[in-house]
């Protein structure tokens, strides 16, 4: 793949959406971009109960290293009693993520969900 001048993610574009953090990604998630993205998602999944919604709607290409990055982030989120969902409408990317042989079992969304309210603090 050709090296892109635009980063695949920007910390400035990450935002809260109800009780989750939306992480918009764009361009190509591949061997070149996956290491930086992995470090970024590791930081977002460090805390307790991380709730990430990774927006893949502007991702043009996803290779095995990109899938590995997403699987790692989901594993880290789940291990900390959190969750990771993927927002994706790009048919080639959806085809890869839904391959039965890969057994990825991501929570795939086709539309931005309504914001869920943050849980009430315990009295």
């Amino acid at each position: 793949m050709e090296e892109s001048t635009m980063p695949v993610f920007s910390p400035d574009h990450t935002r809260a959406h109800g009780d989750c953090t939306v992480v918009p990604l764009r361009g190509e998630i591949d061997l070149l971009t996956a290491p930086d993205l992995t470090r970024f998602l590791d930081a977002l999944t460090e805390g307790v109960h991380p709730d990430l919604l990774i927006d893949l709607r502007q991702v043009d290409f996803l290779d095995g290293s990109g899938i590995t990055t997403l699987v790692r982030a989901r594993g880290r989120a789940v291990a900390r009693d959190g969750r990771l969902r993927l927002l994706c409408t790009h048919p080639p990317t959806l085809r890869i993520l839904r391959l039965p042989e890969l057994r990825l079992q991501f929570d795939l969304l086709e539309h931005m969900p309504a914001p869920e309210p943050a849980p009430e603090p315990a009295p």
Side-chain angles (χ1 to χ4, degrees):
M1 293 281 109
E2 182 179 305
E3 188 172 350
S4 173
T5 57
M6 282 189 105
V8 73
F9 67 93
S10 171
D12 296 339
H13 293 131
T14 300
R15 67 186 188 284
H17 182 74
D19 65 345
C20 75
T21 300
V22 177
V23 181
L25 303 179
R26 64 181 170 276
E28 300 176 358
I29 304 175
D30 57 17
L31 193 57
L32 280 174
T33 61
D36 288 338
L37 180 58
T38 298
R39 284 188 288 278
F40 180 65
L41 294 177
D42 279 359
L44 291 176
T45 55
E46 280 181 348
V48 180
H49 308 294
D51 189 356
L52 299 182
L53 176 58
I54 310 249
D55 186 347
L56 300 173
R57 292 178 292 179
Q58 292 186 22
V59 170
D60 303 318
F61 179 79
L62 178 70
D63 74 1
S65 57
I67 291 170
T68 299
T69 295
L70 296 173
V71 168
R72 174 186 171 93
R74 180 187 57 198
R76 287 175 55 88
V78 170
R80 291 162 175 83
D81 295 319
R83 68 178 173 175
L84 180 138
R85 297 172 289 166
L86 303 177
L87 177 59
C88 184
T89 57
H90 189 245
T93 303
L94 281 170
R95 190 169 39 254
I96 291 168
L97 294 172
R98 290 180 173 152
L99 278 173
E101 302 85 32
L102 295 180
R103 298 181 188 165
L104 297 173
Q105 301 176 347
F106 279 111
D107 187 1
L108 295 170
L109 307 176
E110 293 184 12
H111 304 285
M112 182 67 76
E116 296 175 11
E120 294 288 324

